Each structure stands twice: as structure tokens, then as C-alpha cells.
Amino acid sequence: MFEDFLNALQNFRRNKMRTFLSLLGIIIGVASVIVIMSMGQSSTKQIEETFGSSGLDMVSISTGFMRHRRDAITLDFNESFREDLFGAISGIKKIWYKNSLSTTLSYGDISATSTCTAVETDYIQTYGLSLESGDFFSVTDNVMGAQKIILGSDIASSLFPNGDAVGKHITLVTSSVPFSFEVIGVLKEQSSGMESTTTGCYITRGFYAKKITPNPSASTVMVQATSTSRATELVDILEDYCEKLSGTEGSVNVSSMQTIISQMSSITSTLSIMLSAIAAISLLVGGIGIMNIMIVTVTERKQEIGIRKALGASPAVIRQQFLIESSSITLLGGIVGILLGILISLAVEYVRSLSFVISWQSCFISFVFSVFVGIFFGYSPASRAAKLDPVMALSGE
């Protein structure tokens, strides 16, 4: 068998252009599959890095689209709703209320617009956000409605280019009403899912309820599940619960970071598989080309086949010789295709600034499939060579 492989390599050297053209379809097919699958896995990794690991055990509830119906009840995210939610559904660890407002922040002559979020005690740190400097809100800050603020990293850099934001007082304007706030912390820039660590800012919900909107209902309810897997389960459970309360389908929007990441990763994987299947067609086209080349090869080497048979070579040995030759072509094509696919993936993902991920599974599958193509499409010409009559073969007819 090894001798047949060496003979195949010698034949490739004698017919370099023919061999190259035979390899081309296999190379393109294997490289295409690897590039597509690697890009798909890199995109999935980038999605996970973008959302980060923060808040994977959180579920968000906000008011959704409500159709006009007489029996529809507008949900009020108040303390009664919080208590009822705790009592009705298991697997809930904690519930926070949030309110968002558009604001303009200014310090001296510098100003910046931001979406400010009024949050309850320990929500920010429980969500997984970290501080570059300063402190989080205390329980007292929230109860007393302290005029303290935590800035996102970009907002802090804009207002305080020298990086000395903590301890300074800034002006927050919302609905044309100015308020003075002490900066007590600056968030570290990080991937954080539904929370902004760069352009957003945070104040206590206690201040929001006392000075901005008295006794407010929450615009968003954040439910912390007992585990990440439970958070995924709670999405449908909470949606059904809220829709039963309101009597209207679509009365709330319920989502979790884990569900969003899973859905996006699933879409990316599905698209990668579909595109890879299309790219694999070129492998089949290359296989047909190999069959044609092997038929020509058998015709050209009739006398060689006749001599081997005259010397006692069995049909099985002749068949094996040409199967090894055809599979050797696709084996080489698979190796070159894998290397080319990796290089192209590296180049593309370098240009797009993606986290490079090699799909070793697709490399293995493409390699095995390419060898299979060589055996499958080489079997017919090999069988034709094995069935040749030695006398007819030596006569060249």
C-alpha cells in the first residue's frame, strides 16, 4: 500500500498541471468550509465577549405592546407587584426596580448627554459591574435619597479629562430641572450585557422617588434567578404570569442575557452550517473532476495495467492501486485546503478585529470528507482498471 502511495506521488510529479487542476476543487471546498465555520465560531465568541458574563442570572421585565382591549389591565410595577411575584413564582433570589431618564451632565464648561438609571441598593455590584474608583451606593444612600452619582467610564473621561472625578460635584439636568450630585464612583469599562459601563450613569432610586417622580412605578423590573439555568426558564414563566395579570398578550417584554446569547449563537451556528453545506458542493464538483482525470489516467496506463496483470497482479491489487492514487489527490488537497483555510481565516479576522477561533472539528470533517470523495469518485475508474483484460491492455486497444 505504501508503495502504491509513492507511485501515486511520482505520477503526480509527471503530470503537475493535471494534478493541480484536480486538487483545485478539493482545496477550494475544504478551505471554504473551514473559513465559514471558523468565522461562525469567532462570531459566537465575540457575541459572548460583547455581552460578558455579567447578569447571566438576571431576567428583565418591562412594559410591552398592549392591544386596546376593554379587559386589558395595565401592569403597575409597584411594591405589591414585587411581593406577589415573590410569592407566586419559585426560583427567584431577588427583585430590583429601575427607572431610566435622559439627562444632561455638566461640570464647569463641559457637558455631556447620558441615559441615567435610578437603581436600588446593591443592584450594580450584584449585576457584576466593577468600579475603577470610588464606592457603590449604600443602603443609607438609597433610603435617604442621597444626591450621589456613579459615572460610566466615558462620561467620567469627558467631564473630568484629568481623571479626578470622585468627590467632585456635577449638575444633572432632567426635564429642565437641575440637580447637584456628588460623584462617588466611576465604573470600570467592561462587557456587561444590558447595562452601560461607558456612556451611562447611575443614581439612587430613593432620590428619584423623592425629587424627580414621587412614588414611581418601575419602568423595568430586574429579577435575579437562583441560577443561570433557572433564569432561562423564568423568561417564559414570567411572561405567562404577567400576561395573565394584564389579560393581554404582549403586555410585557421579558428577556434574559442567557436567552439572547443562546439565540444569537444558535442563529450564527445555523448560518455557518448552511453556508458550509453550500461550500461543500465544490468538494463534490472536485470529486467529479477527479473521476474524469482517473478515467483518462486508466486509459493512458493500459499497458502498465496489462504488464502488472501478466506478472500475476490480481484485480483487487489493481483496484487498490488506483483507489490509493485518487484518494491521495484528495488527501493532499485536504491538507492544503486546511492550511489555506486557516490562513484566510486569520487574515479575515485580523482585518475585522475578531477573536480568532479555529474550528478543529470542521478541519477534521473536511479532511475526512475529502478523502471519502477521492475513494467514492475513484472507485469506478479503479474498477474499470481492475476488469481490464491483460491481452487487450497490452495490445493498447
Side-chain angles (χ1 to χ4, degrees):
M1 185 178 292
F2 182 70
E3 185 180 348
D4 289 334
F5 177 73
L6 294 178
N7 290 332
L9 294 180
Q10 290 177 357
N11 290 326
F12 297 159
R13 292 194 195 97
R14 287 196 294 266
N15 300 282
K16 293 179 182 178
M17 182 57 68
R18 180 191 297 178
T19 302
F20 173 73
L21 294 175
S22 301
L23 288 172
L24 198 56
I26 304 298
I27 292 172
I28 292 173
V30 171
S32 299
V33 170
I34 290 172
V35 169
I36 292 170
M37 293 299 291
S38 294
M39 292 292 291
Q41 289 193 7
S42 297
S43 299
T44 299
K45 184 178 179 182
Q46 187 179 41
I47 290 170
E48 294 173 351
E49 289 177 349
T50 299
F51 287 105
S53 59
S54 302
L56 295 182
D57 59 347
M58 298 281 193
V59 180
S60 168
I61 307 173
S62 57
T63 303
F65 170 75
M66 296 188 65
R67 293 179 300 196
H68 296 288
R69 284 176 45 179
R70 293 182 180 179
D71 59 344
I73 301 172
T74 303
L75 290 181
D76 190 9
F77 297 141
N78 53 24
E79 288 304 316
S80 295
F81 178 83
R82 183 173 357 213
E83 293 174 6
D84 293 342
L85 200 58
F86 261 124
I89 299 174
S90 62
I92 295 177
K93 188 174 182 180
K94 197 164 184 178
I95 298 174
W96 289 273
Y97 280 5
K98 296 196 309 180
N99 292 87
S100 299
L101 57 155
S102 297
T103 61
T104 299
L105 306 177
S106 60
Y107 179 76
D109 296 331
I110 305 173
S111 62
T113 58
S114 174
T115 298
C116 192
T117 306
V119 296
E120 296 176 328
T121 306
D122 77 3
Y123 168 74
I124 298 175
Q125 52 265 52
T126 304
Y127 193 86
L129 305 188
S130 303
L131 289 174
E132 186 70 40
S133 58
D135 298 304
F136 290 109
F137 300 123
S138 66
V139 175
T140 304
D141 290 336
N142 190 59
V143 172
M144 300 301 294
Q147 291 182 228
K148 297 180 179 180
I149 191 168
I150 296 175
L151 302 177
S153 56
D154 288 354
I155 290 291
S157 297
S158 298
L159 296 178
F160 303 94
N162 296 326
D164 53 351
V166 176
K168 298 295 194 301
H169 285 77
I170 64 173
T171 301
L172 182 151
V173 179
T174 179
S175 301
S176 301
V177 180
F179 298 96
S180 177
F181 279 85
E182 178 189 358
V183 180
I184 64 167
V186 176
L187 290 172
K188 182 185 296 183
E189 184 177 349
Q190 65 187 90
S191 300
S192 57
M194 292 182 282
E195 298 295 336
S196 173
T197 62
T198 55
T199 60
C201 63
Y202 295 87
I203 61 174
T204 64
R205 195 164 184 271
F207 175 83
Y208 179 86
K210 290 180 179 180
K211 299 293 181 69
I212 298 179
T213 304
N215 301 315
S217 296
S219 58
T220 304
V221 179
M222 298 300 297
V223 178
Q224 183 184 25
T226 51
S227 65
T228 302
S229 58
R230 182 56 179 167
T232 304
E233 297 170 357
L234 282 177
V235 172
D236 292 332
I237 295 172
L238 290 171
E239 187 173 16
D240 291 340
Y241 175 80
C242 293
E243 288 179 352
K244 286 178 181 178
L245 286 181
S246 65
T248 305
E249 183 179 353
S251 58
V252 292
N253 292 321
V254 182
S255 61
S256 73
M257 290 309 307
Q258 187 65 37
T259 302
I260 294 171
I261 292 172
S262 298
Q263 289 175 345
M264 295 182 71
S265 297
S266 177
I267 291 170
T268 302
S269 298
T270 301
L271 287 173
S272 296
I273 291 171
M274 290 177 62
L275 292 172
S276 295
I278 295 172
I281 293 175
S282 62
L283 283 172
L284 298 178
V285 174
I288 295 172
I290 287 172
M291 178 185 283
N292 291 332
I293 293 299
M294 291 307 298
I295 290 173
V296 173
T297 300
V298 169
T299 302
E300 290 178 346
R301 294 163 60 185
K302 276 186 178 181
Q303 289 191 341
E304 177 190 332
I305 296 168
I307 293 170
R308 293 197 67 184
K309 281 199 166 189
L311 293 174
S314 65
V317 171
I318 300 297
R319 186 184 300 110
Q320 175 183 286
Q321 176 190 353
F322 285 93
L323 278 177
I324 289 175
E325 190 163 327
S326 63
S327 59
S328 296
I329 295 177
T330 53
L331 184 145
L332 292 174
I335 293 173
V336 175
I338 289 171
L339 295 175
L340 182 62
I342 292 173
L343 290 174
I344 293 174
S345 298
L346 282 169
V348 172
E349 287 162 10
Y350 174 78
V351 172
R352 292 185 57 191
S353 300
L354 291 175
S355 298
F356 179 69
V357 177
I358 287 290
S359 176
W360 296 112
Q361 183 181 7
S362 65
C363 290
F364 176 75
I365 292 173
S366 299
F367 179 75
V368 172
F369 187 64
S370 65
V371 175
F372 171 77
V373 165
I375 296 173
F376 180 80
F377 285 99
Y379 186 80
S380 178
S383 295
R384 175 181 294 189
K387 293 176 183 178
L388 281 176
D389 181 85
V391 177
M392 298 295 293
L394 287 170
S395 66
E397 297 179 9

